[in-house]
Amino acid sequence: MPPPRPRQLPRLLWVEGNDDSAVTQSLCEAYDVPENFEVQAKSGVVELLRTFVAELKAPGMERFGLVVDANGDAQARWESIRRTLEAEGYADVPKQLRSQGMIIPGTPHRPVFGAWIMPDNSGKGAVEDFAAKLIPHGDMLWNHASDAIGRIPTADRRFPEVRRSKAQIHTWLAWQEFPGSPMGQAITKGDLDPKAPLAVAFVSWLRRLMVNNVPETETTP
Amino acid sequence: MSEPEPLYLSSLRVEGVRAIRSLEIRELGRVNLFVGTNNAGKTSLLEALRLFAARGIPQAFRDVLLLRGVELSPTPAASLEEWGILVESVQSLFHGGFSRMDDLTMKVGPISGGSPVLTVSLEWRRTNDLARFPQKVSAGFPTLVVDYGNDDHREMQVEDLAVPPHPYIENQVPFAVFVPPFGIAEGRLGALWDRITLTEWESQILAALRIIVPGLEGLSFIFEGNRRRVPVAKLKNAAQPVPLRSMGEGVNHLLSIALAMVNARGGFLLIDEFENGLYHAVQNEIWDVILDLAERLDVQVFASTHSWDCIVAFQDAANRSPAVGMLYRLEREEDGAIYAETYTEEEVAIAAEQQIEVR
């Protein structure tokens, strides 16, 4: 097994998959967020949650963040992360998710920690629901996509109801000027709006976690 | 003679040894692997464990000094210069102790409970023994005060460390066997071999060596020239014995480790820079042997490494074995204390699988 690639930067963001990575990087470009941290795409939430503890212990790590999908329950997702943090010695980790994203101060041997639960740190969903909230207001294609999906007879539909929002965003992406761009590229091309409030909140969380000096007060309840 | 109680540390606190001002490890396993930058204190830690395992007997101090390349004059009291070299090298066993005239103390033992704590102090004492020490009346002369637990108290003059021990002591089963980088010297291997040849342990050694030398049928030590005894192997289909070293560095190193292991029964095995001279492909099997023997022979193993391959091989073998393997990264803090980042077997496995740096 090859040794780990030398990490240039002591600040690292783990995201659940390639879509999250592309969305994050496109938003960073749109906002000129300094490239002082590395983004690594993992293969799924289960692997990510099982293994991130080892990265908290990595030598010289200053700041570390996770971007994961809420799927069924954002609060349950946070609870599982919170238990790992407490076992690693983080003090006063809030039980309740905050809509602006989580940032937990570091300890003498643990990095500043951040988490963003896709889409918005509260409800259900995933990165596709995040992207959906970046669709400009009143976009007619979004309604067409919804109608089109609604008209598919149940017998012909191959995706379960929980994946309906994924089907809708990918349908919508398929109908853009350059059909079928992935979500990250759709941000760069302007199909998805990086100025949408949720995108602004995400970038603000990322800056506070990776770029700004982390004020102690930020996480005190 | 009854077997002594096996040594086992479930936690460790070291104070005042060499590069270590202080170090605490809350949980130790059966087999413990240490990584860290070059001055992080890995070698000092192994030295501390060596002194602890031997309960601070003079031989242990002697061994540590010799290994550090200190040349011990048999008559240091005869010249101020040689005496000064000896005293400074003993001082340097203590943290920040080089050329200091005040008292120095080191402590090695569990954080709480379990086995006793070893405390060694270097104290400067006045002497009236002008015949023996005419030069040093004003400074006093240094005495090592050794306590192991509450009822094992000894005092020795620094000068006594220079005197080679009686062969009887040399042949006592040591409580810790130390494997230096690139293995134990060939000459010393013979002495370790003599302790186990024609016992049940001989076959264990041969089994371990067959990992690298599948056709090995027997092992012996013969004189090469006048003094040096070197290991030779009987190979399948070979009429004449073959020097072991002709089969590559790895074979001697593995013999070192296997011999050290069976000689360390009930004690510690200390391996400095495990990976040196071992090519990657055999590290898995060697760790298998170490973990297996550690469990069966009641040996607690402490090893250091710089190598990612070594860590991966260690965790592979640890996952296969019931013996508990732990990994620690030593980090020097600004205040001089050493912090030990602790990885469980599961966490090392995660790091290996996800290629997350632990060193």
Side-chain angles (χ1 to χ4, degrees), chain A residues 1-5 7 14 42 47 50-60 88 108-110, chain B residues 280 308-309 312 315 329 331 333 339 341-344 347 350-359:
Chain A
M1 203 175 297
R5 193 166 46 88
R7 194 159 30 76
W14 270 21
K42 310 306 284 186
E47 176 193 286
R50 179 178 65 83
T51 60
F52 80 89
V53 62
E55 203 70 90
L56 295 178
K57 297 183 171 193
E88 286 303 308
H109 301 105
R110 294 289 177 271
Chain B
H280 173 50
W308 174 257
D309 286 345
V312 172
Q315 69 85 25
R329 178 178 66 253
E331 292 177 5
E333 310 254 66
Y339 171 71
E341 183 65 84
T342 303
Y343 293 81
T344 63
E347 288 167 345
I350 288 170
E353 160 208 319
Q354 300 282 316
Q355 290 175 276
I356 296 170
E357 190 56 88
V358 297
R359 297 169 295 169

Side-chain angles (χ1 to χ4, degrees), chain B residues 265-296:
Chain B
R265 296 193 296 283
F268 291 166
L269 175 68
L270 311 172
I271 309 174
D272 203 7
E273 300 188 15
F274 178 90
E275 73 278 10
N276 281 341
L278 289 177
Y279 52 100
H280 173 50
V282 299
Q283 289 199 12
N284 261 309
E285 285 86 350
I286 292 177
W287 277 118
D288 280 336
V289 169
I290 289 175
L291 285 148
D292 175 56
L293 290 178
E295 197 75 356
R296 287 197 288 130

Side-chain angles (χ1 to χ4, degrees), chain A residues 102-190:
Chain A
M102 307 304 285
I103 294 179
I104 314 296
T107 74
H109 301 105
R110 294 289 177 271
V112 173
F113 179 88
W116 181 277
I117 317 287
M118 286 287 180
D120 57 2
N121 299 303
S122 60
K124 302 184 221 186
V127 64
E128 288 83 358
D129 301 279
F130 179 87
K133 299 221 167 112
L134 272 54
I135 291 172
H137 261 302
D139 183 286
M140 287 314 292
L141 278 178
W142 184 242
N143 294 332
H144 288 310
S146 178
D147 292 346
I149 289 171
R151 279 195 299 274
I152 304 172
T154 317
D156 295 340
R157 216 199 254 187
R158 297 193 186 147
F159 54 85
E161 187 55 29
V162 293
R163 294 196 197 126
R164 186 189 172 108
S165 65
K166 293 193 184 192
Q168 192 176 341
I169 185 81
H170 287 287
T171 304
W172 183 85
L173 288 165
W175 293 345
Q176 301 305 306
E177 185 184 356
F178 298 95
S181 293
M183 288 176 273
Q185 285 181 31
I187 293 171
T188 309
K189 289 178 179 143

Side-chain angles (χ1 to χ4, degrees), chain B residues 14-88:
Chain B
V14 178
E15 286 171 19
V17 182
R18 292 271 200 200
I20 303 175
R21 190 175 70 82
S22 69
L23 164 69
E24 276 193 10
I25 297 176
R26 278 193 220 128
E27 188 189 355
L28 285 168
R30 168 65 69 191
V31 180
N32 306 281
L33 183 61
F34 291 85
V35 297
T37 52
N38 272 329
N39 68 344
K42 299 193 295 293
T43 304
S44 299
L45 172 64
L46 296 180
E47 289 173 338
L49 289 165
R50 201 171 182 194
L51 295 174
F52 169 81
R55 304 182 177 195
I57 61 170
Q59 174 71 34
F61 286 96
R62 230 184 109 74
D63 285 349
V64 169
L65 289 175
L66 287 171
L67 200 78
R68 284 262 175 167
V70 176
E71 289 180 21
L72 295 176
S73 157
T75 55
S79 106
L80 192 55
E81 191 190 344
E82 287 190 352
W83 184 83
I85 290 170
L86 175 66
V87 171
E88 285 190 349

Side-chain angles (χ1 to χ4, degrees), chain A residues 52-124:
Chain A
F52 80 89
V53 62
E55 203 70 90
L56 295 178
K57 297 183 171 193
M61 186 70 79
E62 290 174 359
R63 304 195 188 180
F64 180 72
L66 297 178
V67 175
V68 292
D69 290 346
N71 295 343
D73 183 352
Q75 189 59 44
R77 192 65 90 214
W78 170 244
E79 182 56 26
S80 119
I81 296 170
R82 197 183 67 83
R83 280 197 300 269
T84 303
L85 295 179
E86 291 203 326
E88 286 303 308
Y90 286 88
D92 305 324
V93 184
K95 286 200 157 96
Q96 280 303 314
L97 268 169
R98 304 212 176 104
S99 60
Q100 73 268 34
M102 307 304 285
I103 294 179
I104 314 296
T107 74
H109 301 105
R110 294 289 177 271
V112 173
F113 179 88
W116 181 277
I117 317 287
M118 286 287 180
D120 57 2
N121 299 303
S122 60
K124 302 184 221 186

